[in-house]
Amino acid sequence: MQDFINVILPIPIEKLFTYKVTEEEAKLLKPGMRVAVPFGKSKIYTALVFEIHNTPPTVYEAKQIDQILEDHPVVTQVQLKFWHWLAQYYMCSLGEVFRAAVPSALLLESETLILRNDRADLEENDLLDDEFMVFEALQHQSILRVQEISDILDKKNIIPVLNRLLKKNIIFLKEEMYEQYKPKLVRYVQLGKSHRSEENLEALLNGMTRAPKQSQVVLTLFQLQAVTKKPVKVSDLENASNSSSAIIKTLIDKGILEEQFVQTDRVVYEGGDETETLKSLNDFQKEALKDIKGSFKDNKVVLLHGVTSSGKTEVYVKLIEEYVNQGKQALYLLPEIALTTQLISRLQAYFGEKVAVYHSKYNVQERVEVWNNVLENKPVAQIVIGARSALFLPFNDLGLVIVDEEHESSFKQYDPAPRYHARDAAIVLGNLHGSDILLGSATPSVESFYNVKVGKYGYAHIERRYGNVLMPDMELVDIKEQSRKKRMKGHFSERLLEEITETLDNGEQVILFQNRRGYAPIMECTTCGHAPQCPNCDVSLTYHQHRKQLRCHYCSYHIALQETCQACGNATLDTKGFGTEQVEQELNTLFPKANVGRMDLDTTRGKHGYEKIITSFEQQEIDILVGTQMLTKGLDFRNVNLVGIMNADSLLNFPDFRAHERSFQLLTQVAGRAGRTKKRGKVIIQSYNPNHRILQQVTTNDYLEMFQEQIYERQQYKYPPINRIIKITFKHKDYNKLNEAAEWFAKSLRNSFGGNVLGPEYPPVARIRNQYIKNVIVKIGENYSLVKTKNSIKRIEKSFNAISYYRGVRVIYNVDHI
Ligand code: ADP
Ligand code: ZN
């Protein structure tokens, strides 16, 4: 009997592929192990074994696999089930999930580009012959294709060699380019080996009587090391012994001290063996914890609804402790942007090295390390804190899943597939593991709160800020009125200016929020009305003053700022609207003595850009911080007493059925940064339309009213959570073809779903990177089956794909979150 395996290939094809294996291989193989397989004419992929069987494929002749890549599964059975659910629910292929789920180092394939690692340490690595040949080739040529390496080694399957080189840190993969930053090295010292015992130390000190400064250093170091026996940071030693780096250098040269460099920019735990004890919860927190546990007993997902600064994090920590004490794993999921060192340090202070961090800014080695630690259920990764990709780790005893800031829209992955929502997927993952699941937010999503209302979720509530700090005092300022009376200075109302002045006078800090980066979103000629557009996208170019450029925020297009209008030639260009850069500039004029900082995509590029700004704001080197929505996410600053919203209207007018909900959340979250310690904070919201329901609800902190009005609207217009929704996006560079294709698809959908199909319609930006875009929306009523609907849509797509004229038109599905 012949043996076969079905594998998942990391490419967007619907079906699993079948390969032949020998009898011995079949005995070794288990689902979840990786194999290298040939595909197409000359490609080699890393594939994942899905099942082992004896049925040959009917349509094609199965090829033999090239090689088995390991002796144990790297992907668990539960993960495979989870992937299967993701592919079904979010309408993509298992291969696309595979590609997104595992670190790229586990996914080598023939098209991967290989680069040399200039920091490779050869001395530490003995290279085998084939490894050395690759290493040498990379000295002459910094980038090689897998095919080229294959030629050099005269071997078909070189994936095992590359795997070994990756492990030894000799090479990088192309995707990892951006991580070739120079790590910051910190110098540590310890007593030289021969001086460590007490007698030897005494002899040493006796011989140093004529160098009192040096012996002072040695004595201090001995003291510092007495407890930990670990090397000491040179800067700490300098401070403690009151000496200079020159003296320490002399001691190192003499061999009395040994130096050692430690790389610090991985978020590794740096503390000693000691951890802080957990804070004891106040009565509100205790009550919430009790409610949470009560609902866990009923096997319900629980929503923790606690106002900003109510101490939700401390409640999570208490829970995590209980699961960890039982030896279980805990996953703490956050939106990428809220994953700050602030929070990581807080968790590490409690749980020490049990905390592992996992997100996309980590390099491939670090990610593989965490992956393996989780797979083996090691104590060093018992608590994983991560962004949405942490869902894909190979947990095997997951006891608790926490999704913090569960309302955050950035939990949704838009590109590439799988286009999943991490909160919703986390609930499925938790259920597969039988874990307890907690969602937390100060401003819950309408979906989650609805699930509480209908009894599906449990609920816990904290209405007070920790330490009885008052919720900030909110004030709406009508800038229409102010502009009419010519009372605005730039984009600042008198009220906002007064409050900023007072706050700065008190030595406190200010946060200003404007949800647009750059100087101005539009540059327009006041004579002819012409506004420079992006040639690739249907948008105006944004003016960036600092770089004197006009930039497209959808593609990378940019041009130098023009002095005169390109249409009429007049030097009458003016800006319309405003972004963070303009606010910053106005502040520099209005408050010349204040230090103004800016936090947006432009100032936080690079691995640590974001951290740097947060740290200098924390250390009060910045008095006023201007920023986009990056400011909203779970940051805990002690000295901020004023938050100003420059213009609330642009948020409210966004064309999306969730725009009002989002505005409420965003504004409440930003406001929540004010007055987190004793003194009551102040929030000023500037708007042209201060009577807007949402603004009223934000200022009175009336979540319930917001929820009821939003639910009513969603019911009226058939949107989630009461109805389901699928958005189908069509993209093509040919305008006519796109229109016809979208029309054909929509018509077919109407045959099945009638009036529940909307569109095709252009989105607000109808062309991006030269691709025209049209959307069709399918609404699925309460009593219809989501699965059946998706199957019908997939069937229509099959017929669609069979029409050769439409070939090349991309069809993209987004489910629930569009
Ligand atoms: P949230 O996550 O709800 O915004 P945090 O957990 O950040 O709130 O708590 C706000 C502040 O109050 C933090 O500085 C935190 O250390 C402090 N805090 C919360 N609970 C306690 C407690 N039980 N004992 C002492 N301090 C607490
Ligand atoms: Zn563009």
Side-chain angles (χ1 to χ4, degrees):
M1 200 167 39
Q2 179 67 52
D3 294 289
F4 295 95
I5 56 172
N6 283 355
V7 302
I8 306 172
L9 287 165
I11 48 177
I13 48 171
E14 285 287 313
K15 295 206 169 110
L16 297 177
F17 245 73
T18 307
Y19 287 87
K20 251 194 290 209
V21 291
T22 64
E23 210 182 314
E24 296 84 71
E25 283 171 337
K27 273 190 206 127
L28 275 174
L29 282 168
K30 294 192 188 83
M33 278 163 66
R34 292 178 309 144
V35 288
V37 297
F39 186 77
K41 276 210 186 79
S42 59
K43 284 186 195 140
I44 295 172
Y45 282 118
T46 298
L48 196 81
V49 179
F50 193 76
E51 55 204 345
I52 302 144
H53 59 87
N54 305 108
T55 324
T58 46
V59 210
Y60 54 93
E61 173 84 15
K63 290 181 188 165
Q64 196 78 35
I65 65 165
D66 272 353
Q67 188 137 13
I68 301 179
L69 293 176
E70 57 235 329
D71 55 9
H72 60 279
V74 287
V75 171
T76 67
Q77 284 302 303
V78 178
Q79 278 180 296
L80 287 176
K81 275 192 203 149
F82 181 51
W83 293 7
H84 196 75
W85 178 82
L86 284 165
Q88 290 288 311
Y89 193 82
Y90 294 108
M91 305 177 78
C92 66
S93 72
L94 265 177
E96 285 169 311
V97 181
F98 177 32
R99 180 172 283 281
V102 307
S104 53
L106 300 178
L107 265 179
L108 279 168
E109 62 191 38
S110 53
E111 274 146 85
T112 311
L113 293 179
I114 313 296
L115 295 105
R116 77 169 174 249
N117 178 1
D118 289 323
R119 293 196 285 114
D121 188 355
L122 258 203
E123 284 175 21
E124 276 195 5
N125 286 301
D126 280 328
L127 297 188
L128 301 175
D129 283 353
D130 51 1
E131 294 168 8
F132 190 76
M133 279 166 77
V134 178
F135 171 78
E136 227 183 22
L138 280 171
Q139 303 308 306
H140 301 296
Q141 211 177 330
S142 59
I143 296 183
L144 288 174
R145 283 174 193 288
V146 167
Q147 188 55 50
E148 292 169 313
I149 295 180
S150 190
D151 292 344
I152 293 168
L153 297 182
D154 194 19
K155 237 197 237 179
K156 202 167 60 162
N157 179 15
I158 56 154
I159 287 179
V161 184
L162 296 181
N163 271 330
R164 279 184 263 127
L165 286 168
L166 266 176
K167 233 183 213 150
K168 294 180 178 177
N169 255 322
I170 304 288
I171 59 168
F172 279 121
L173 307 183
K174 172 72 193 258
E175 302 98 300
E176 259 52 59
M177 281 277 280
Y178 61 91
E179 281 147 358
Q180 298 191 34
Y181 58 90
K182 282 256 180 294
K184 188 175 152 224
L185 295 176
V186 173
R187 188 150 66 141
Y188 282 73
V189 286
Q190 56 183 336
L191 280 174
K193 268 199 198 74
S194 48
H195 308 294
R196 282 187 207 156
S197 74
E198 253 170 71
E199 308 98 81
N200 291 358
L201 183 70
E202 208 169 312
L204 173 70
L205 288 171
N206 286 339
M208 288 172 84
T209 44
R210 272 173 296 124
K213 278 190 182 159
Q214 292 181 15
S215 76
Q216 183 59 38
V217 172
V218 172
L219 273 172
T220 310
L221 181 60
F222 185 65
Q223 214 170 34
L224 290 174
Q225 282 194 289
V227 186
T228 64
K229 310 278 181 221
K230 285 183 184 159
V232 172
K233 260 191 212 162
V234 168
S235 53
D236 291 347
L237 180 59
E238 266 176 51
N239 289 337
S241 63
N242 215 349
S243 64
S244 69
S245 50
I247 296 172
I248 294 175
K249 174 93 173 34
T250 313
L251 288 167
I252 293 170
D253 291 344
K254 284 183 178 170
I256 295 171
L257 303 187
E258 279 174 16
E259 67 181 338
Q260 182 182 337
F261 289 89
V262 177
Q263 195 176 310
T264 57
D265 47 357
R266 283 192 193 184
V267 189
V268 286
Y269 177 60
E270 275 196 28
D273 301 326
E274 275 151 57
T275 49
E276 272 175 37
T277 46
L278 269 55
K279 298 194 165 71
S280 51
L281 301 184
N282 69 17
D283 290 346
F284 302 103
Q285 289 168 316
K286 278 187 195 150
E287 193 62 27
L289 190 63
K290 205 178 101 211
D291 291 343
I292 292 169
K293 288 188 187 164
S295 292
F296 280 170
K297 284 223 175 73
D298 299 336
N299 284 323
K300 277 187 182 174
V301 174
V302 183
L303 173 66
L304 171 58
H305 183 182
V307 295
T308 52
S309 203
S310 58
K312 293 184 291 298
T313 316
E314 302 300 331
V315 175
Y316 303 148
V317 164
K318 260 286 191 297
L319 264 180
I320 291 173
E321 188 190 38
E322 294 181 14
Y323 290 81
V324 167
N325 286 344
Q326 297 164 29
K328 291 192 179 297
Q329 295 171 313
L331 169 63
Y332 187 154
L333 215 59
L334 273 159
E336 181 100 44
I337 208 154
L339 201 54
T340 56
T341 20
Q342 257 192 355
L343 184 85
I344 296 168
S345 317
R346 217 164 135 187
L347 288 183
Q348 283 173 334
Y350 293 135
F351 299 112
E353 57 187 13
K354 288 204 177 85
V355 180
V357 185
Y358 192 77
H359 68 87
S360 62
K361 282 205 176 164
Y362 275 26
N363 74 31
V364 83
Q365 262 344 301
E366 289 165 318
R367 272 183 279 163
V368 174
E369 245 170 70
V370 177
W371 183 279
N372 289 331
N373 288 339
V374 171
L375 183 65
E376 290 158 36
N377 203 354
K378 288 205 184 141
V380 289
Q382 221 182 331
I383 303 164
V384 175
I385 158 165
R388 57 177 181 246
S389 57
L391 280 177
F392 294 117
L393 285 167
F395 298 101
N396 51 49
D397 194 8
L398 186 60
L400 176 68
V401 178
I402 292 171
V403 184
D404 196 7
E405 314 284 351
E406 67 85 28
H407 64 278
E408 255 302 316
S409 53
S410 57
F411 274 128
K412 173 73 197 312
Q413 154 103 0
Y414 282 97
D415 250 323
R419 299 179 172 84
Y420 63 103
H421 194 287
R423 175 199 59 221
D424 301 347
I427 292 170
V428 172
L429 181 77
N431 284 333
L432 286 172
H433 281 280
S435 332
D436 290 326
I437 304 162
L438 179 63
L439 313 179
S441 174
T443 50
S445 62
V446 164
E447 282 85 355
S448 295
F449 200 73
Y450 177 77
N451 282 330
V452 171
K453 286 278 160 201
V454 299
K456 198 168 149 197
Y457 288 179
Y459 185 65
H461 199 184
I462 310 179
E463 283 174 59
R464 300 267 198 101
R465 288 187 144 188
Y466 180 77
N468 276 325
V469 177
L470 289 173
M471 292 302 283
D473 169 31
M474 308 244 204
E475 182 178 330
L476 283 162
V477 175
D478 184 346
I479 43 178
K480 186 145 99 214
E481 176 82 6
Q482 292 252 320
S483 310
R484 202 171 47 82
K485 294 186 181 156
K486 303 235 167 354
R487 293 247 180 90
M488 299 285 288
K489 282 199 179 133
H491 296 92
F492 291 83
S493 61
E494 279 178 339
R495 279 296 295 131
L496 184 51
L497 287 176
E498 274 165 27
E499 289 291 336
I500 296 177
T501 309
E502 195 188 318
T503 308
L504 294 179
D505 286 349
N506 290 336
E508 293 156 348
Q509 292 166 292
V510 179
I511 285 179
L512 295 177
F513 171 77
Q514 170 62 6
N515 210 22
R516 272 215 124 106
R517 65 193 166 96
Y519 188 87
I522 298 174
M523 193 93 192
E524 201 178 71
C525 174
T526 52
T527 308
C528 73
H530 171 77
Q533 303 280 312
C534 176
N536 313 317
C537 314
D538 280 352
V539 282
S540 308
L541 296 172
T542 297
Y543 172 37
H544 285 247
Q545 190 189 47
H546 178 69
R547 301 205 221 166
K548 297 198 171 43
Q549 277 179 342
L550 296 176
R551 304 187 66 89
C552 172
H553 284 184
Y554 288 85
C555 69
S556 51
Y557 182 82
H558 54 89
I559 50 172
L561 178 67
Q562 289 145 2
E563 301 294 323
T564 53
C565 173
Q566 293 214 309
C568 70
N570 281 322
T572 46
L573 289 172
D574 201 3
T575 59
K576 251 176 123 175
F578 67 106
T580 44
E581 217 186 9
Q582 193 167 156
V583 178
E584 180 187 22
Q585 193 204 36
E586 290 181 357
L587 284 167
N588 285 330
T589 322
L590 291 164
F591 300 95
K593 286 202 205 110
N595 276 323
V596 180
R598 175 157 62 89
M599 183 154 87
D600 54 32
L601 256 187
D602 299 314
T603 61
T604 55
R605 289 186 210 279
K607 189 163 176 170
H608 298 295
Y610 186 66
E611 300 299 344
K612 271 188 209 140
I613 296 174
I614 290 179
T615 307
S616 59
F617 193 56
E618 241 170 8
Q619 295 176 348
Q620 300 182 29
E621 294 157 13
I622 294 174
D623 304 311
I624 309 176
L625 184 59
V626 185
T628 55
Q629 58 183 350
M630 284 188 177
L631 287 171
T632 56
K633 313 297 151 57
L635 293 167
D636 191 22
F637 299 117
R638 320 305 303 165
N639 195 40
V640 174
N641 217 56
L642 174 67
V643 167
I645 316 285
M646 298 305 294
N647 180 332
D649 306 313
S650 59
L651 293 172
L652 292 164
N653 298 333
F654 200 75
D656 179 290
F657 73 91
R658 286 190 178 91
H660 286 175
E661 174 191 351
R662 291 228 175 100
S663 307
F664 181 92
Q665 288 159 342
L666 204 63
L667 294 172
T668 307
Q669 294 284 351
V670 186
R673 302 310 113 205
R676 290 172 71 93
T677 40
K678 291 148 234 133
K679 202 173 144 191
R680 187 171 193 196
K682 176 89 192 170
V683 177
I684 301 243
I685 302 178
Q686 303 192 136
S687 166
Y688 282 93
N689 189 6
N691 291 323
H692 196 291
R693 305 281 310 161
I694 288 288
L695 296 184
Q696 295 295 329
Q697 287 152 1
V698 169
T699 44
T700 52
N701 202 15
D702 199 342
Y703 177 85
L704 218 56
E705 188 184 274
M706 184 281 292
F707 171 78
Q708 277 153 355
E709 290 186 6
Q710 293 306 309
I711 275 289
Y712 177 77
E713 284 196 10
R714 309 261 177 109
Q715 224 147 12
Q716 292 295 300
Y717 300 105
K718 293 196 181 161
Y719 280 117
I722 297 132
N723 294 270
R724 305 296 197 122
I725 187 168
I726 298 173
K727 183 172 83 176
I728 311 173
T729 302
F730 302 88
K731 286 189 185 177
H732 198 267
K733 62 179 189 310
D734 180 335
Y735 177 85
N736 290 325
K737 188 184 268 198
L738 174 84
N739 275 312
E740 284 174 42
E743 202 53 58
W744 185 95
F745 210 114
K747 246 191 209 140
S748 312
L749 287 167
R750 279 203 185 89
N751 288 339
S752 307
F753 309 112
N756 288 328
V757 180
L758 305 185
E761 258 172 37
Y762 291 112
V765 180
R767 187 181 51 124
I768 295 177
R769 293 172 188 271
N770 284 317
Q771 300 269 324
Y772 290 94
I773 304 167
K774 261 193 163 171
N775 292 322
V776 173
I777 285 171
V778 182
K779 290 176 177 174
I780 304 154
E782 262 177 296
N783 305 320
Y784 288 83
S785 151
L786 192 59
V787 176
K788 277 191 193 144
T789 308
K790 284 177 189 163
N791 288 341
S792 311
I793 295 175
K794 280 278 177 190
R795 270 200 300 277
I796 293 172
E797 189 190 351
K798 251 200 193 120
S799 317
F800 177 83
N801 286 336
I803 303 170
S804 62
Y805 175 63
Y806 297 149
R807 198 157 294 152
V809 176
R810 280 187 68 201
V811 181
I812 296 160
Y813 298 105
N814 278 284
V815 180
D816 299 338
H817 298 264
I818 61 173

